[in-house]
Amino acid sequence: MPKQKRNAAPASGANVGYEAELWQMADALRGSMDAAEYKHVVLGLIFLKYISDAFEEQHAKLQAETAQGADAEDPDEYRALNIFWVPPEARWSHLKAQAKQPTIGQLVDDAMSGIERDNPSLQGVLPKDYARPALDKQRLGQLIDLVSNIKIGDAESRSKDVIGRVYEYFLSQFASAEGKKGGEFYTPRCVVKLLVEMIEPFKGRVYDPCCGSSGMFVQSIEFIRAHVTSNGNGGKAKADISIYGQESNYTTWRLARMNLAIRGIDGQIAHGDTFHNDRHPDLKADYILANPPFNVSDWRGELLREDKRWQYGAPPAGNANFAWVQHIIHHLAPAGLAGFVLANGSMSSGQSGEGEIRKSIIEADLVDCMVALPGQLFYSTQIPACLWFLARDKRTAPSPAKAGEGRGEGRNRRGEVLFIDARKLGQLVDRTHRALTEEEIARIARTYHAWRGESDAGTYADVPGFCKSAPLEEIRKHGHVLTPGRYVGAEALEDDGEPFEEKMKRLSATLREQMEEGRKLDAAIAANLKELGYGR
């Protein structure tokens, strides 16, 4: 019997090389420091080491070319190659040499300030509180020694995206350590990957109104790089997407900027409250990806009752779910696609007018697909979650075969919604967290693409217990509830090939035998009770 192929490891960022060992060593130096605080200490140093590695490699090349007129201390020699200029006080070799000194905290702060001063794109982004008394300087020195042992910014490491992998792994581990608070800056990699694979942001404006640490954008770029080898550009990502984001938490906003900077991704990432200070008010995005905080009750909605974004009804002041939905709709371009995470309650709640808002959105034919997710995917909450996919124009669909060339022809799916129930999917990656595997992500995305009528996605068919294409009339009969389980039905039982008549005869005979055995046991028990004086 052939050995069955095992599923690929879940796309969680947890299955990587030496990153786990590096994390264990770094975490051992944390001591009593809170994970939320330590996060910025470690990630700031990793960022500094990355840009210093890239700088020092180019610095050595320029020094070797001094006779040809190269100037190793000319910042423009680096900026021309998209390498950050690192002033002398910020170079890693200088910090490493001073790592055991009691002034190391101030030296790191000075290094961060120098980099921001000479690189305007990093202004206000880097952490500069290493000199604070609460930070153990001996541990800081040990951490610098640890980070000194890894190459993450030289050309070879950049080609392998070592910094990307280390950063991603550390973000996921900090999110796990912080628990609920961790969800503010990190969306599990498998969830981001599923969203990106489904809406395929190849070209145009990509927007995340609550971008956290910028995971959606990073995955979008990775998606393009993974799919460009066949489009004639030599496997290099075409700069055909523009990135727009906003994050209300200042420290998380800084993480987002650093996360993009280490990958050389340009983006307009603004800091501020998306509802009360929309920093991209005129943006109409081709793709929107988001993981808004679930069921936020203190979003000050009572101050925005007449906001122009509430086209389908004013969201309740006590829950921001449908404020997020309508903010996303407001920013969708005429042919835009959106994919975002919400709590399961958004699919069925009728409280405080939410049911009427959902009904209006459905009747406007904006809902393209609903996906029920398995539990235990998120670090921030145990609340069951789902994915919403909205489409402004359901007459066509993007064509992966024409990556970067805009929208292709697809099936007219107006008046229909695809429901996918993925609650039984996923594998445990530790005792408390689950992740979708690569194969599961591909299955869900392929089902959506086939339903949309994409030429290379195969033929769509309803699968009992997994997916169902439902007409609007059926959704009306369910009171405009969007829970996939209501539509996909029960999973079909596998046919064992035994004819029905033969199976019934066999099962009936087995039942009679078991009943006869039961009668014998009853009789034996009654006899034993009688001997003990308890019989009738």
Side-chain angles (χ1 to χ4, degrees), residues 275-276 299 301 303-311 313-315 326-327 330:
F275 291 134
H276 297 271
W299 66 288
L303 303 178
L304 298 170
R305 303 310 293 165
E306 304 300 324
D307 196 281
K308 64 181 180 180
R309 288 170 290 184
W310 315 150
Q311 184 180 349
Q326 293 189 84
H327 176 87
H330 174 76

Side-chain angles (χ1 to χ4, degrees), residues 44 47-48 51 79 85-91 95 105-131 254:
F47 179 85
L48 185 58
I51 63 173
R79 292 168 182 153
W85 163 256
V86 181
E89 72 271 20
R91 294 171 191 174
L95 296 176
Q106 187 59 53
L107 291 174
V108 175
D109 283 347
D110 292 344
M112 297 293 188
S113 296
I115 289 171
E116 286 193 352
R117 179 193 66 227
D118 295 342
N119 298 276
S121 66
L122 296 176
Q123 190 67 42
V125 170
L126 305 183
K128 294 179 288 294
D129 51 0
Y130 290 86
R254 287 160 51 187

